Amino acid sequence: MSAVGVPARHKNVNRAEVCDQNFIEFVKGWSGRSVAAAPALDAPVLPGSRCSRRDFEALFESQLISRHLDLMARVLRVQNKVFYTIGSSGHEGNAMVARLTRHTDPAFLHYRSGAFMAERCRKLPDMDPVMDSALSFAASAQDPASGGRHKVWGSKPLWVIPQTSTIASHLPKALGTAVAIEQARRIGHTLPVPQDAIAICSFGDASANHAMAQTAFNAAAWTAYQKLPAPVLFVCEDNGIGISVKTPNDWIHASFSARRDLDYFQADGLDLAAGYAQVANAVDHVRRTRRPTFLHLRTTRIMGHAGTDFEIEWRSFEELMAVEATDPLLRSTAIALEAGLHTRDSLLAMYEALRARCFAAAEEADRRPRLTTLAEVMAPLAPYTPDKVAAEAARADYGERREAAFGGADRLPEKLPPRHLAIQINHALHDLFCKYPQALLFGEDVAQKGGVYTVTRGLHKTFRNARVFNTLLDETMILGLAQGYANMGMLPIPEIQYLAYFHNACDQIRGEAASLQFFSNDQYRNPMLVRIAGLGYQRGFGGHFHNDNSIAALRDIPGLVVGCPSRGDDAVEMLRTLAALARVDGRVAVFLEPIALYMAKDLYAPGDGEWLTHYPPPNQAMPLGEGRVYDGSASGQPPGASPGPSDLTIFTYGNGVPMSLRAARSIAATHGWQVRVVDLRWLVPLNAAFIAAQAQAARRILVVDEGRQSAGVGEGVITAIVEAGAGARPLRRVVGADTYTPLAGAAFLVLPDEADIVAAADALAQADVAAA
């Protein structure tokens, strides 16, 4: 295809206008020869091509729809009728991937996927890619993908799972979905898609360098190396540039063409006639072999990264002209004219008709309602149906499976003597696996070894490798797998070995799993229960990686639920509620396990056994947000009891609970105070009403937070107290220092202890004296 000349007058105009005019001038100036008669619908559009006329005509229209959506967005953005201008121009060849795959193949798409979506819409009747896209561009509340919360490519009926970041963070969950498709057969789970479905994941050449992309490629190869199926099609749409940074020439081919166990295919995304067979070969390969496959799709990028990218400021005019000459629509135009599918006049008429259709849809979308209240915006973020969750958490209709798993009716955990936290969590996990046949537990060392602290011991032996298994040592991929299993209707229970390790992979929860309900308007969900061992005070296995008391990264994630038990019975009831929350409302939850309390048996004195608890019967669960209040006993008040007056109320969680209970005895003896200890139990979201009620009944308040002084849970507790009007009471915080945790005994210098709590109470007493 010859380069298209661009008059000098175009040097100072919007490049979108240039590309638009290029197309028109190319059609008008076309001087090639058409065949005598157009081919039949099922005949090759050009001799030797595997792309039929029928295929080509559909693909070409999808390309043109995508282009006119881009042009429309650039024009109407300045009128505040459209709010997104990252376009698909130059990438329209990805329509071939859509045509050659099925609408039941889960697709995770990057933002240059307009043609893919237009083409996939053909798979089902009554789908309108133009109006649906216009509603999304306009941030309309009627946008069928996100309900106006973001411009995303997504569709529930078309199995396009919305992505927002798309800078490689979607690759791990795409691979996880592919693995889940195969895992379902091994556990007898009924998939929501056909058993031979594949996962599709598209991204750019620049994103291929991202750590999250590389971890997905590595995990895919790691899986295939072990002869385990992972039917994912990685589609690298290589346009040679990332915003303004050029990809080294031939880098993608050099980097990926010879990777072991990541099967490599190339295709020309600029030429439908040539590229169609190449894409078909890749799709056929991944569906047939069930192996991870890398499709290197040649594309280009015209009209800049987005509407605000004025390429002429950093790219030479000659280079811009050369890039615009590779516009795939020009090649498709030449094919249409050469094959006799159009005359120049009919093609221009089609082009302008699609322009009018896109602009009309955009104008109509601008008249549709937008989100206007905070309640509307947040509606899909954190759905919660308490009655249904409570009923599911208390459901105990799996008695036979329980007896088989625990070795008989007389060995059920509720019939055993009191046990410590680690054993009760272990029993609760066995229980959940009996209750939910679709539950999977996985992570580092969780299978035969039973975890670093043996919390998962016996699960692998009872439920076998299809449901309890080790992963590679990669937290990003562990959480990516969890999202994949959730996509396919399973209940993933991934383990992150230490809280410090979660920080390596935080975006898989913050940017991906927890955001999906919000950005899909609750059409897609990532139900999961993430177990994380953490917090401080661990002896003999120290350092900041094993004593991580920073949960700020968790508290900052919208929609996330974080529970933190301090004793065994609480842990059991909390796990049941979290699992029910995932199953009923699709929520993402973290179960934060205090390592130092795993084996704790005693509370006040060696051998007293007062931190051992009985196992709650299977129909007993803890409501979300319910704290436990200790008022002079180790068992605490009955749930929901009205708070009576106290001289001092201590708010705390995790390790702070038994520590505060011990300190409370000393404080009561010294000052004659009635001391109440409040275990928050639920750290995200904090139950502000519960905190306020307890604070209102207190004369003095201590907040004991083993986290750091900055960004700790205690800040949220104090905010709830102050906002409830209880902040006038004498109040102090006992918190950890703003530092990393050192090794050995020095670790306890940076964490609060019982003496600190007693000293804070003494300071409150002295303040009373001074005030009197």
Side-chain angles (χ1 to χ4, degrees):
M1 179 171 57
S2 62
V4 181
V6 181
R9 58 186 165 84
H10 288 319
K11 289 184 180 181
N12 298 316
V13 301
N14 187 297
R15 304 313 297 181
E17 296 177 15
V18 172
C19 293
D20 185 23
Q21 193 61 34
N22 278 353
F23 181 90
I24 294 170
E25 292 178 2
F26 182 85
V27 175
K28 289 180 176 179
W30 188 75
S31 57
R33 296 182 60 186
S34 299
V35 296
L41 282 176
D42 293 320
V45 66
L46 291 180
S49 173
R50 275 181 60 185
C51 182
S52 70
R53 173 185 171 181
R54 187 193 308 274
D55 294 323
F56 175 83
E57 289 183 334
L59 290 166
F60 188 29
E61 184 183 50
S62 294
Q63 289 184 312
L64 293 173
I65 288 172
S66 177
R67 177 60 55 85
H68 277 302
L69 288 171
D70 285 357
L71 295 171
M72 172 274 295
R74 298 298 177 94
V75 172
L76 296 186
R77 175 64 192 95
V78 297
Q79 301 177 32
N80 280 327
K81 295 181 177 181
V82 161
F83 302 94
Y84 192 85
T85 57
I86 295 181
S88 305
S89 295
H91 285 246
E92 290 90 353
N94 57 34
M96 293 186 288
V97 180
R99 188 160 187 83
L100 287 159
T101 55
R102 305 170 186 163
H103 79 278
T104 50
D105 291 328
F108 304 80
L109 306 178
H110 76 341
Y111 37 60
R112 305 197 193 280
S113 299
F116 182 105
M117 284 300 299
E119 186 60 36
R120 182 164 272 207
C121 281
R122 299 180 192 279
K123 306 285 184 178
L124 292 176
D126 302 322
M127 301 295 294
D128 185 349
V130 173
M131 193 63 214
D132 288 354
S133 298
L135 290 166
S136 189
F137 276 110
S140 168
Q142 295 178 358
D143 162 28
S146 76
R149 289 166 186 83
H150 202 282
K151 167 65 191 76
V152 295
W153 297 117
S155 169
K156 180 65 173 178
L158 294 174
W159 269 100
V160 178
I161 302 172
Q163 311 304 307
T164 56
S165 55
T166 62
I167 308 301
S169 58
H170 58 309
L171 273 73
K173 64 180 179 181
L175 173 60
T177 301
V179 172
I181 290 170
E182 295 296 317
Q183 189 90 357
R185 185 183 303 110
R186 294 194 287 273
I187 69 170
H189 174 68
T190 301
L191 284 168
V193 297
Q195 288 191 347
D196 65 343
I198 65 173
I200 304 160
C201 181
S202 63
F203 50 94
D205 49 293
S207 294
N209 301 303
H210 198 284
M212 281 190 280
Q214 292 294 325
T215 199
F217 301 141
N218 177 72
W222 184 84
T223 302
Y225 181 78
Q226 300 175 84
K227 312 300 183 190
L228 298 173
V232 59
L233 181 66
F234 291 119
V235 183
C236 180
E237 298 185 15
D238 183 1
N239 62 25
I241 198 166
I243 303 184
S244 67
V245 179
K246 293 181 181 178
T247 298
N249 188 45
D250 208 33
W251 167 246
I252 296 298
H253 177 266
S255 180
F256 289 94
S257 61
R259 289 201 184 191
R260 175 167 179 163
D261 292 308
L262 186 58
D263 302 341
Y264 176 86
F265 289 78
Q266 278 184 302
D268 188 350
L270 304 178
D271 187 334
L272 298 181
Y276 194 80
Q278 299 161 339
V279 173
N281 289 339
V283 172
D284 292 344
H285 174 82
V286 66
R287 198 177 304 279
R288 176 174 47 84
T289 66
R290 320 303 286 167
R291 284 174 56 83
T293 301
F294 187 97
L295 173 59
H296 181 189
L297 187 67
R298 180 189 173 207
T299 62
T300 190
R301 192 192 76 192
I302 59 176
M303 294 166 49
H305 173 71
T308 55
D309 179 18
F310 299 103
E311 291 180 293
I312 196 68
E313 295 179 354
W314 55 270
R315 214 169 184 180
S316 73
F317 175 59
E318 291 74 21
E319 183 182 355
L320 280 175
M321 288 183 62
V323 170
E324 290 162 359
T326 64
D327 184 346
L329 264 62
L330 304 183
R331 173 57 182 153
S332 295
T333 296
I335 294 171
L337 294 169
E338 183 181 337
L341 309 183
H342 279 284
T343 65
R344 285 176 292 183
D345 289 344
S346 69
L347 188 49
L348 288 174
M350 176 185 176
Y351 186 74
E352 294 303 329
L354 287 173
R355 186 200 304 275
R357 179 183 169 192
C358 290
F359 271 86
E363 294 290 350
E364 173 60 26
D366 181 52
R367 292 189 287 270
R368 301 286 183 90
R370 292 191 171 95
L371 300 173
T372 57
T373 68
L374 178 60
E376 287 178 315
V377 171
M378 294 185 65
L381 174 64
Y384 179 42
T385 51
D387 291 345
K388 292 181 180 179
V389 169
E392 175 62 19
R395 180 172 62 84
D397 55 358
Y398 51 100
E400 290 185 6
R401 293 198 297 270
R402 291 188 81 227
E403 292 183 13
F406 288 108
D410 58 336
R411 302 189 66 176
L412 292 173
E414 60 267 30
K415 296 184 178 181
L416 300 178
R419 293 288 191 266
H420 55 70
L421 176 65
I423 287 181
Q424 301 296 41
I425 291 175
N426 178 275
H427 287 159
L429 292 172
H430 277 80
D431 240 347
L432 289 180
F433 266 61
C434 295
K435 185 173 184 176
Y436 299 109
Q438 68 273 52
L440 305 171
L441 188 144
F442 50 94
E444 301 163 10
D445 304 303
V446 300
Q448 292 87 345
K449 180 179 175 64
V452 173
Y453 300 97
T454 69
V455 175
T456 59
R457 189 170 75 178
L459 281 162
H460 179 264
K461 182 178 180 181
T462 302
F463 299 103
R464 311 311 300 166
N465 202 53
R467 296 184 63 194
V468 181
F469 50 92
N470 294 322
T471 65
L472 68 175
L473 273 65
D474 182 344
E475 285 73 28
T476 295
M477 200 58 240
I478 290 170
L479 296 175
L481 284 170
Q483 292 174 81
Y485 293 129
N487 286 333
M488 293 295 103
M490 303 176 208
L491 176 60
I493 309 177
E495 176 181 292
I496 301 298
Q497 199 167 89
Y498 292 101
L499 178 57
Y501 298 174
F502 169 76
H503 304 312
N504 304 332
C506 177
D507 191 55
Q508 285 299 300
I509 299 297
R510 186 186 188 282
E512 298 295 336
S515 72
L516 183 59
Q517 283 178 278
F518 183 78
F519 287 119
S520 72
N521 202 15
D522 200 25
Q523 296 177 89
Y524 282 103
R525 296 175 165 189
N526 269 321
M528 67 179 70
L529 201 177
V530 184
R531 292 180 48 247
I532 306 179
L535 303 181
Y537 302 97
Q538 187 181 183
R539 297 179 182 273
F541 201 48
H544 74 284
F545 272 115
H546 306 121
N547 282 281
D548 188 343
N549 57 1
S550 173
I551 66 167
L554 291 167
R555 294 186 64 226
D556 181 54
I557 300 175
L560 187 68
V561 173
V562 179
C564 180
S566 62
R567 47 189 277 173
D569 54 353
D570 283 359
V572 174
E573 294 187 20
M574 186 177 283
L575 277 169
R576 290 170 182 163
T577 296
L578 291 174
L581 197 62
R583 292 299 297 168
V584 173
D585 290 325
R587 299 290 291 278
V588 179
V590 167
F591 183 68
L592 186 58
E593 303 172 7
I595 299 170
L597 296 180
Y598 271 151
M599 309 300 175
K601 301 177 179 65
D602 307 321
L603 177 59
Y604 297 114
D608 68 15
E610 290 206 44
W611 213 240
L612 301 174
T613 63
H614 286 283
Y615 189 85
N619 62 348
Q620 190 170 309
M622 179 197 307
L624 176 63
E626 182 181 86
R628 182 185 287 270
V629 179
Y630 297 87
D631 204 351
S633 73
S635 59
Q637 295 178 352
S642 299
S646 73
D647 296 303
L648 174 67
T649 293
I650 303 173
F651 292 93
T652 189
Y653 65 94
N655 293 291
V657 176
M659 190 163 58
S660 295
L661 287 170
R662 289 189 289 269
R665 278 197 167 184
S666 176
I667 295 167
T670 301
H671 299 289
W673 291 348
Q674 182 184 30
V675 182
R676 178 174 297 136
V677 175
V678 176
D679 182 358
L680 299 168
R681 300 198 293 195
W682 300 94
L683 306 185
V684 182
L686 287 171
N687 188 337
F690 168 73
I691 293 169
Q694 295 296 326
Q696 295 283 7
R699 289 187 59 194
R700 306 169 188 85
I701 296 171
L702 280 180
V703 177
V704 178
D705 179 2
E706 63 185 281
R708 297 172 190 162
Q709 183 175 8
S710 300
V713 173
E715 293 181 350
V717 174
I718 292 174
T719 299
I721 292 170
V722 172
E723 289 183 345
R729 290 158 178 76
L731 184 152
R732 284 182 177 266
R733 265 199 308 165
V734 180
V735 296
D738 280 343
T739 180
Y740 296 101
T741 305
L743 195 61
F748 296 91
L749 299 175
V750 307
L751 297 169
D753 59 19
E754 292 169 40
D756 295 325
I757 301 172
V758 172
D762 291 343
L764 288 174
Q766 292 169 10
D768 289 346
V769 172

